[in-house]
Amino acid sequence: LIYIPSAIPPSDVPQRLKPIPRYTPEDDKLIEISKIDLALSTDNDIIVDKSGNAVLSAGMANLVQALKLKIITPIGSLIKNPSYGFAVPIGTSLSDITADLIKERLFDTIVSDSRFTSANNLGVFIQGPVASINGAVNVKGMDGILPFAISLF
């Protein structure tokens, strides 16, 4: 089922729809920080289980997914949230941008998400038309770091 936002109240909601499970801080502090979202495959498709239900992503899996989505989404591409995303537009020629500018914009992108407090050891390596980015982020309220590596362009 696909629901399209509307001001008209629904006339007949199917019985098989289930509410999203509620988690309490006692269940897992990481889930409280990470939030809950639909789980996505490595190709960014929604994962559906054998019963046809969408799989949820929470905890560490959702932190990884949130970081990846934040970096691969061009800023301004979401109509309802134009400030979400990475401020290096798709199609930008690597000859027109420096590694330092990519690092600066990457840092701003990461810390704009309330789940992450800082980004460390950011590295940008440009080889031909590909920019490989790696580093680590600190998760709000948690000890340790979350390392990441991603290729763009």
Side-chain angles (χ1 to χ4, degrees), residues 43 61 101 104 109 123 143:
D43 294 327
L101 184 56
E104 179 183 317
T109 297
D143 292 332

Side-chain angles (χ1 to χ4, degrees), residues 29-37 57-71 113-116 137-140 142 145-148:
K29 183 169 175 58
L30 191 55
I31 292 173
E32 179 184 9
I33 294 165
S34 72
K35 305 175 187 173
I36 301 170
D37 203 348
S57 176
M60 188 59 70
N62 199 41
L63 288 172
V64 171
Q65 179 174 293
L67 182 60
K68 176 186 173 190
L69 288 175
K70 192 94 170 177
I71 293 171
D113 190 313
S114 63
R115 293 172 275 207
F116 307 115
V137 295
N138 292 86
V139 179
K140 177 183 174 182
M142 304 298 286
I145 59 170
L146 174 62
F148 70 92

Side-chain angles (χ1 to χ4, degrees), residues 3 13 22 33 35 40 63 68 71 80 106 112 126:
Y3 285 104
V13 178
R22 301 239 181 239
I33 294 165
K35 305 175 187 173
L40 301 178
L63 288 172
K68 176 186 173 190
I71 293 171
K80 292 287 190 176
L106 179 63
S112 71
I126 298 173

Side-chain angles (χ1 to χ4, degrees), residues 108-125:
D108 293 342
T109 297
I110 292 169
V111 298
S112 71
D113 190 313
S114 63
R115 293 172 275 207
F116 307 115
T117 57
S118 66
N120 308 303
N121 303 320
L122 297 177
V124 176
F125 307 97

Side-chain angles (χ1 to χ4, degrees), residues 82-98:
S83 63
Y84 178 89
F86 189 37
V88 176
I90 290 178
T92 300
S93 172
L94 291 176
S95 62
D96 295 336
I97 192 165
T98 65

